[in-house]
């Protein structure tokens, strides 16, 4: 019995038990990670799992059941149990849940991969991390750390509507950091971001990062931050680098436009949303420079795929256009309830988890400027980059973020380095103050987005570029 046969058996069993719709995902996933500290390997982790997860719809209620067993009997049992759970949940009267129509596809899709990351020798990977962290340690870091992570996922999806789709997604990435300890002060610098850079690519992505070449620089900058002046408190012009912009998009846009949060279906992990569906296509989210797309078709970006976990093909669409909120991240059921005609943003982090609305690649379209031009046009302000901390309320509205490093901007030039830079704002007011945006977009990968109960870890992408915001409160008042 091949994997499609397993998924088909599960779907057929669910239908025979009374489901009006069912789908099944067979998944096989391998993962590997390694970390190093101060030139020595700290930990190696390798994992592999496989199983089948089944969704069944009875009336207006979903049931889900999963087993780590790909035998015909297990597949049938999973389908039957999913339907039984759905039926048990359907105790309240109400209209049946509809699903947005999609074409049933029979297809195969794979992410591009030049160098199989799991095929690279462990000795090569270990040498990279030990060399990079040793170099940062020699350059003055008290604690130099490095990490890579790899995921190799195969999926076979079957639905009662005729879908039969297999996908092979390979993801990898890496990063390093340097921490220095002073008298009552600790500072950290990271490369290429505070968690590393990740994408749906092979080991070639890690090679391109050239971690060792940046090790001494981040150690030098971390040590310089120990004696740099504190970021002043007050209201000023703020320039954010592209990495921090990725986090800003993730927290204050990506989570806010998740339709299950907007509908009140999801409230875990600081989540509902301040958005009101009655105001879609009318609400001003930000300035006219703000164009946010939902785009799982970007080659190599971490939130890319051929089909989501409901069989909806990857499609690019706008979430914010010319500053106006126009779209959401949706599933087939939530979209139908909201009266929308699109879905495409449902994924699960494994065979044993119920698929749910997740970010794909949610990012800013490029602007007309460069970072150098933005700095040159700024008489007085602060430039901040690389996230250090974040806090946002349960409406995804009020936020405060801290960055690893800042620079004073005076008369169009980058000046003194500033330590402990922070800024705070309210979503639409903050985005409304954006008046310059760079064309230099980087598709940052976020491999650690948490959502749901039981918790799921999502892999998301965020194309972002440096941008300028007027009248932002920065620093901490003493």
């Amino acid at each position: 019995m091949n994997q499609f046969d397993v998924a088909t058996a599960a779907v057929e069993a669910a239908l025979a038990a009374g489901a009006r719709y069912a789908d099944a995902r067979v998944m096989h996933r391998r993962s590997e990670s390694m970390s190093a500290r101060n030139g020595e390997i700290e930990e190696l982790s390798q994992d592999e799992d496989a199983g089948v997860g089944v969704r069944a719809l009875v009336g207006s209620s979903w049931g889900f059941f999963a087993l780590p067993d790909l035998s015909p009997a297990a597949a049938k049992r999973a389908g039957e149990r999913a339907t039984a759970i759905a039926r048990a949940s359907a105790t309240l009267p109400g209209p049946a849940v509809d699903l947005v129509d999609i074409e049933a596809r029979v297809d195969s899709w794979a992410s591009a991969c030049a160098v199989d990351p799991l095929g690279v020798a462990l000795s090569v990977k270990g040498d990279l991390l030990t060399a990079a962290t040793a170099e940062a340690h020699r350059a003055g870091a008290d604690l130099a750390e490095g990490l890579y992570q790899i995921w190799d996922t195969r999926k076979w999806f079957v639905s009662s509507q005729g879908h039969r789709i297999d996908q092979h997604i390979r993801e990898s990435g890496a990063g390093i950091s340097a921490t220095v300890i002073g008298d009552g002060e600790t500072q950290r610098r990271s490369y290429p971001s505070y968690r590393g850079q990740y994408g749906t690519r092979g080991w070639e992505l890690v090679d391109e990062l050239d971690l060792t070449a940046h090790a001494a620089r981040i150690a030098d900058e971390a040590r310089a931050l120990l004696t740099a002046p504190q970021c002043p408190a007050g209201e000023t012009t703020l320039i954010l680098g592209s990495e921090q912009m990725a986090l800003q998009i993730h927290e204050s846009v990506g989570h806010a436009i998740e339709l299950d949060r907007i509908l009140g279906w999801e409230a875990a992990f600081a989540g509902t949303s301040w958005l009101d569906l009655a105001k879609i296509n009318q609400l001003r989210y930000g300035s006219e420079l703000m164009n946010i797309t939902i785009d799982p078709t970007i080659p190599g970006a971490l939130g890319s795929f051929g089909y989501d976990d409901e069989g909806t093909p990857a499609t690019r669409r706008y979430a914010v256009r010319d500053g106006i909120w126009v779209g959401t991240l949706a599933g087939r059921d939530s979209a139908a309830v909201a009266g929308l005609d699109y879905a495409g943003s449902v994924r699960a982090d494994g065979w044993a988890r119920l698929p749910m609305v997740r970010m794909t690649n949610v990012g800013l379209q490029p602007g007309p400027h460069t970072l150098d031009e933005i700095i040159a046009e700024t008489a007085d302000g602060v430039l901040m980059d690389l996230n250090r901390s974040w806090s946002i309320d349960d409406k995804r509205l009020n936020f405060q973020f801290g960055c690893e490093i800042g620079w004073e901007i005076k008369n169009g030039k980058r000046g003194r380095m500033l330590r402990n830079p922070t800024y705070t704002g309210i979503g639409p007011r903050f985005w409304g103050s954006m008046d310059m945006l760079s064309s230099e977009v980087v598709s940052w990968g976020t491999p650690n987005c948490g959502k749901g109960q039981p918790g799921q870890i999502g892999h998301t992408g965020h194309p972002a570029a440096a941008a300028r915001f007027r009248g932002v409160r920065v620093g901490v008042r003493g």
Side-chain angles (χ1 to χ4, degrees):
M1 178 177 272
N2 64 35
Q3 312 300 11
F4 276 127
D5 291 338
V6 173
T8 300
V11 168
E12 290 176 348
L15 295 177
R20 64 185 183 91
Y21 168 86
D23 59 36
R25 291 169 301 111
V26 173
M27 293 182 65
H28 175 218
R29 180 172 55 188
R30 293 183 294 163
S31 61
E32 179 181 293
S33 65
M34 183 186 294
S35 60
R37 177 179 295 181
N38 294 350
E40 301 288 337
I41 296 299
E42 282 273 291
E43 183 179 7
L44 169 65
S45 175
Q46 295 174 311
D47 191 32
E48 181 173 3
D49 64 15
V52 59
V54 189
R55 292 193 313 172
L57 187 58
V58 174
S60 60
S61 297
W62 285 106
F64 177 77
F65 195 77
L67 285 171
D69 184 344
L70 300 182
S71 68
K76 180 180 178 182
R77 186 164 69 254
E80 293 170 342
R81 290 293 300 276
T83 299
I85 291 169
R87 182 177 292 108
S89 301
T91 57
L92 296 176
V97 169
D98 291 321
L99 301 178
V100 166
D101 287 337
I102 57 172
E103 179 188 353
R105 299 281 188 93
V106 176
D107 200 5
S108 182
W109 186 88
S111 58
C113 178
V115 180
D116 179 2
L118 291 177
V120 177
L122 287 174
S123 59
V124 172
K125 299 166 182 172
D127 287 348
L128 170 65
L129 295 185
T130 54
T133 57
E135 177 64 20
H137 190 50
R138 283 194 296 271
D142 296 303
L143 180 62
E145 297 178 296
L147 169 74
Y148 75 76
Q149 297 182 88
I150 296 164
W151 301 269
D152 187 311
T153 305
R154 294 179 182 267
K155 304 180 182 183
W156 294 264
F157 176 78
V158 171
S159 83
S160 58
Q161 295 178 334
H163 294 86
R164 189 179 175 94
I165 300 166
D166 69 275
Q167 299 188 80
H168 185 192
I169 301 174
R170 285 179 280 195
E171 305 160 299
S172 61
I176 55 173
S177 66
T179 301
V180 297
I181 302 168
D183 184 14
E185 187 79 28
T186 299
Q187 293 292 333
R188 166 184 162 132
R189 286 291 284 128
S190 307
Y191 172 80
S193 82
Y194 78 96
R195 70 179 82 78
Q197 171 65 316
Y198 298 85
T200 51
R201 299 178 60 198
W203 193 253
E204 67 274 9
L205 184 156
V206 179
D207 284 337
E208 291 168 9
L209 294 176
D210 199 2
L211 299 179
T212 304
H214 295 267
R217 174 185 62 80
I218 63 171
D220 289 343
E221 290 180 355
R223 191 151 293 282
L225 281 168
L226 287 178
T227 55
Q230 184 88 359
C231 178
E235 195 171 282
T236 189
T237 298
L238 172 66
I239 302 172
L240 293 182
S242 69
E243 195 272 355
Q244 178 60 27
M245 280 293 289
L247 190 279
Q248 182 72 52
I249 293 164
H250 181 99
E251 299 292 349
S252 70
V253 181
H255 279 305
I257 63 171
E258 291 169 338
L259 187 51
D260 55 349
R261 290 180 184 267
I262 296 170
L263 293 172
W265 295 2
E266 170 63 41
F269 286 100
T272 50
S273 175
W274 67 277
L275 294 171
D276 179 352
L277 271 176
K279 297 181 180 179
I280 195 167
N281 298 316
Q282 303 170 41
L283 175 73
R284 178 157 292 283
Y285 210 121
S287 75
E288 291 185 356
L289 281 174
M290 186 183 187
N291 290 285
I292 300 279
T293 56
I294 299 165
D295 189 2
T297 70
I298 301 171
L302 190 62
S304 295
F305 48 78
Y307 296 84
D308 79 346
D309 284 351
E310 293 187 308
T312 302
T315 305
R316 179 181 183 272
R317 63 176 56 89
Y318 277 92
V320 179
R321 191 163 195 169
D322 299 329
I324 303 299
W325 174 44
V326 297
T328 69
L329 294 154
R332 294 183 66 189
D333 55 356
S334 57
V337 167
L340 305 176
D341 61 359
Y342 58 84
S345 300
V346 165
R347 289 188 289 168
D349 76 351
W351 54 267
R353 289 290 181 262
L354 178 68
M356 65 192 306
V357 174
R358 301 307 303 258
M359 283 181 248
T360 61
N361 298 311
V362 179
L364 267 174
Q365 294 297 285
H369 310 106
T370 67
L371 176 57
D372 287 343
E373 289 170 349
I374 294 172
I375 292 172
E377 291 294 319
T378 303
D380 186 77
V382 178
L383 167 63
M384 302 183 192
D385 204 9
L386 268 73
N387 185 255
R388 186 174 181 177
S389 64
W390 64 93
S391 176
I392 193 162
D393 69 8
D394 60 2
K395 292 289 188 180
R396 296 284 156 175
L397 185 60
N398 299 278
F399 60 82
Q400 181 183 49
F401 296 131
C403 295
E404 286 187 358
I405 193 166
W407 291 272
E408 185 179 64
I409 305 297
K410 291 290 185 183
N411 300 316
K413 296 186 182 299
R414 188 184 304 207
R416 300 180 301 169
M417 183 182 293
L418 301 174
R419 64 186 167 95
N420 304 328
T422 63
Y423 67 99
T424 187
I426 300 172
R429 186 182 303 170
F430 177 81
W431 285 105
S433 74
M434 182 171 65
D435 67 350
M436 295 188 79
L437 175 63
S438 173
S439 62
E440 301 155 321
V441 174
V442 177
S443 288
W444 293 100
T446 300
N448 61 335
C449 176
K451 186 179 176 181
Q453 290 177 322
Q456 298 192 36
I457 301 299
H459 293 183
T460 71
H462 301 291
R468 188 176 76 173
F469 301 84
R470 294 286 196 178
V472 179
R473 181 159 295 283
V474 306
V476 178
R477 284 180 284 186

